[in-house]
Amino acid sequence: MGIVLNQSFKNTLVLFLGFAIGGINVLFLYTHFLQDDYYGLVTFLLSTASILLPLLVFGMQHTVIKFFSAYKTKKEQDEFLMSTIFVPLLIIVPLGLIGMIAYENIANWLSKENTIIKPYSYLIFLVAIFMGYFEVFYSWTKIRMQSVFGNFIKEIFARILATFLLIAVYFELLTNEQFIYAITFVYFVRMLLMMGYALSIYRPALVFKLPKNFKEIVSYSFYIILAGSAATILLEIDKFMIPQLKQIAQVAYYSVGIYIASVVAIPSRAMQQIISPITAKELNANNLKEVESLYKKSSINLLVAGGLLFLLINLNVKDLYLIINKPEFSVGILIVLLISIAELYKLALGTNGAILVNSKYYKVFFYFSIAMAASVILLNKWLIAVFGIDGAALATLIVVLVFSTVKILYIQQKMHMQPFSRNTVIVLVVIAVLYLSFNFWNFTFHPVINIVLKTLIISVIYGIVIFKLKVSNDIQDAYAKYVK
């Protein structure tokens, strides 16, 4: 776990800084500098682009990680990497032409409930291309075990530029409409920077020959593209469907709650950047013992880290909304709890997803993802109508709990490994006890002081209890190494 912990630690720092900058943007600048409708519009455009992303690049960001370590010569590696650039064009170009011909019908459908969407509909396709190629080039650096810079560009660079653009809106240097186009350009620049960095690490020869196992690559990519699209639907479909059923401003209120809850996922996002290619490498070498070791270690370590974030977020959320000082946004408090529970459970799965995607059972990942996507769409349509935006969060939680459990059972049956241990139960009990103990304990000071005090008290208690219980060898070793 050495390189995993090293890169994960750096990625975690980047992610926390990115989330801090993003938090300022999402909680304060977007909410106060941009009109609610335009904030909802930005969220809708980016979420819809994310749904298109896997389709446009044919799942190549996952294909790179899956197959690269199987090639032994530079010639084979170069042929493979160049194919990951050109193959997506076989989808992008025809879809672009179809989109141009049918643009009016597509735009009218998207803007049926909210006419503000129509003039910007074409930006969805452009942003999806920029996002897609960013991920492809990012995967080039991951296979070289260099994930930190890409993480920086992804999590910090774009958010810093968004901060400046929002400030420009505040000082009337940009209009709300111009801000939409400026954000699109940010994603274009982000893609170019990632491409430049990827080529500086490894520059493949310019060859147009398809890899020998191209048929296998296409087969894998076909399943992954659909599975990736379905997985993205699980994450983004609620922000796409809400404007079809409610006013677009509701997306803004929902997205703030989602953003706050997504902080719980930071440890997983940091570790997955480096542990996914390692898992693929070990699976290609049929080293199942090491795969199982990574599975268990990642599960308990992510659960411990995510558990603290879960407590800090949910026990401070009311004060946080008071600081935002926009009462209409406080409808997201329940959303924060529901989504953070879902994120915490996903953390406990460890490398479950990486094992499924990179193993010979990758096809079942496709079926799971399709079933999840269909379920969340149906539940969203029903629960949003009944409970409003809270229903969207509830739909996500139900789907995550059910299908994550199914994935655990599937890997247990096929590969005879599962992530949990007695320590998993101990950590969950600690989290539950602390949550119930502090949930009704509120200070009467200024919200900022309340958050600082609660954060210090909870962090100290949680840290001491987790350390004394010795639930993770990696945490004990890290303490022994760095504290001494």
Side-chain angles (χ1 to χ4, degrees):
M1 288 284 285
I3 189 172
V4 174
L5 289 176
N6 180 275
Q7 291 268 304
S8 296
F9 177 72
K10 293 177 181 177
N11 282 330
T12 300
L13 293 180
V14 170
L15 282 167
F16 270 116
L17 181 57
F19 265 78
I21 297 169
I24 294 172
N25 291 347
V26 170
L27 305 182
F28 303 105
L29 303 191
Y30 272 113
T31 54
H32 290 84
F33 293 177
L34 209 63
Q35 294 175 17
D36 290 356
D37 283 353
Y38 280 93
Y39 183 10
L41 176 62
V42 171
T43 304
F44 170 79
L45 295 176
L46 297 181
S47 295
T48 309
S50 296
I51 294 172
L52 279 180
L53 182 160
L55 172 64
L56 295 187
V57 294
F58 202 62
M60 284 295 160
Q61 71 273 33
H62 301 295
T63 304
V64 169
I65 293 173
K66 163 69 175 174
F67 287 98
F68 184 81
S69 60
Y71 297 106
K72 304 306 178 185
T73 68
K74 185 179 186 302
K75 182 174 180 290
E76 291 176 332
Q77 293 173 348
D78 290 353
E79 290 173 356
F80 172 63
L81 290 179
M82 292 307 298
S83 70
T84 65
I85 295 178
F86 294 113
V87 168
L89 294 177
L90 300 177
I91 297 176
I92 291 172
V93 173
L95 280 183
L97 293 174
I98 293 171
M100 291 173 63
I101 296 171
Y103 178 76
E104 192 67 21
N105 291 330
I106 295 171
N108 286 334
W109 174 66
L110 291 173
S111 58
K112 184 177 179 181
E113 294 295 326
N114 293 276
T115 55
I116 191 176
I117 295 172
K118 185 173 181 178
Y120 308 98
S121 299
Y122 71 95
L123 296 179
I124 295 171
F125 188 73
L126 294 178
V127 174
I129 294 173
F130 303 152
M131 286 180 170
Y133 271 111
F134 173 91
E135 293 296 339
V136 171
F137 287 116
Y138 190 11
S139 67
W140 284 27
T141 66
K142 289 179 185 178
I143 57 178
R144 294 291 174 180
M145 304 304 166
Q146 299 293 328
S147 62
V148 177
F149 179 80
N151 207 23
F152 173 84
I153 295 297
K154 184 175 184 177
E155 303 294 343
I156 295 179
F157 173 77
R159 286 172 174 155
I160 288 177
L161 291 187
T163 301
F164 285 115
L165 291 175
L166 287 164
I167 292 172
V169 172
Y170 175 75
F171 286 105
E172 298 182 354
L173 300 174
L174 286 177
T175 64
N176 285 267
E177 295 83 357
Q178 291 169 337
F179 176 84
I180 305 296
Y181 297 109
I183 281 292
T184 301
F185 184 70
V186 166
Y187 279 88
F188 173 68
V189 174
R190 190 185 73 152
M191 177 194 70
L192 292 181
L193 288 174
M194 193 68 249
M195 179 178 68
Y197 181 69
L199 292 175
S200 72
I201 290 179
Y202 182 85
R203 185 183 294 272
L206 188 61
V207 291
F208 297 95
K209 184 179 178 181
L210 296 176
K212 293 180 180 178
N213 62 335
F214 185 68
K215 184 177 180 181
E216 183 183 359
I217 290 173
V218 170
S219 175
Y220 175 82
S221 298
F222 175 75
Y223 279 95
I224 290 302
I225 179 181
L226 296 175
S229 296
T232 307
I233 284 173
L234 176 64
L235 296 174
E236 306 291 348
I237 194 65
D238 41 14
K239 285 166 272 187
F240 173 81
M241 291 185 69
I242 290 171
Q244 314 306 318
L245 300 169
K246 304 288 182 180
Q247 291 301 306
I248 198 167
Q250 295 285 315
V251 182
Y253 310 149
Y254 183 77
S255 63
V256 169
I258 290 290
Y259 187 86
I260 296 171
S262 65
V263 174
V264 176
I266 288 178
S268 177
R269 292 178 61 183
M271 184 175 284
Q272 292 299 337
Q273 308 297 349
I274 188 65
I275 208 167
S276 186
I278 292 176
T279 300
K281 181 179 179 182
E282 299 298 342
L283 285 168
N284 285 334
N286 200 34
N287 189 358
L288 297 184
K289 186 176 180 181
E290 181 61 23
V291 172
E292 183 178 12
S293 176
L294 287 171
Y295 194 17
K296 290 183 176 294
K297 288 181 178 180
S298 62
S299 173
I300 191 65
N301 290 333
L302 290 174
L303 183 61
V304 169
L308 177 59
L309 294 175
F310 173 86
L311 291 170
L312 296 182
I313 289 167
N314 286 283
L315 295 174
N316 286 308
V317 68
K318 292 179 182 178
D319 286 311
L320 183 57
Y321 273 105
L322 288 176
I323 295 173
I324 294 175
N325 195 29
K326 293 269 286 190
E328 60 271 28
F329 280 83
S330 62
V331 296
I333 290 177
L334 180 58
I335 293 169
V336 174
L337 177 62
L338 296 175
I339 297 299
S340 59
I341 291 174
E343 294 293 349
L344 189 64
Y345 191 43
K346 287 194 288 185
L347 288 179
L349 269 63
T351 57
N352 181 283
I355 292 172
L356 276 179
V357 169
N358 294 296
S359 71
K360 63 182 179 181
Y361 304 109
Y362 68 84
K363 291 183 180 180
V364 79
F365 183 76
F366 158 73
Y367 296 116
F368 283 153
S369 299
I370 293 296
M372 291 173 71
S375 299
V376 81
I377 290 172
L378 293 173
L379 285 172
N380 265 320
K381 192 169 184 180
W382 171 42
L383 294 175
I384 291 174
V386 177
F387 300 110
I389 56 178
D390 288 342
L394 181 58
T396 300
L397 175 60
I398 292 171
V399 170
V400 167
L401 292 178
V402 172
F403 284 93
S404 295
T405 302
V406 172
K407 289 178 184 178
I408 293 170
L409 296 175
Y410 183 84
I411 290 182
Q412 169 66 30
Q413 180 185 10
K414 294 295 184 181
M415 304 180 72
H416 309 293
M417 59 178 74
Q418 55 89 20
F420 302 140
S421 66
R422 174 175 170 271
N423 289 332
T424 304
V425 178
I426 292 174
V427 175
L428 291 174
V429 170
V430 171
I431 294 169
V433 169
L434 288 178
Y435 177 77
L436 294 174
S437 300
F438 284 90
N439 190 40
F440 301 103
W441 183 23
N442 297 308
F443 294 111
T444 57
F445 308 113
H446 187 278
V448 173
I449 298 175
N450 293 342
I451 290 175
V452 172
L453 288 176
K454 264 195 177 182
T455 297
L456 290 174
I457 294 171
I458 294 167
S459 298
V460 170
I461 295 175
Y462 184 82
I464 292 174
V465 172
I466 291 296
F467 180 75
K468 291 294 184 182
L469 293 174
K470 298 181 180 180
V471 296
S472 168
N473 291 331
D474 289 311
I475 292 175
Q476 303 298 126
D477 293 343
Y479 176 84
K481 179 180 179 181
Y482 291 108
V483 173
K484 289 183 181 180

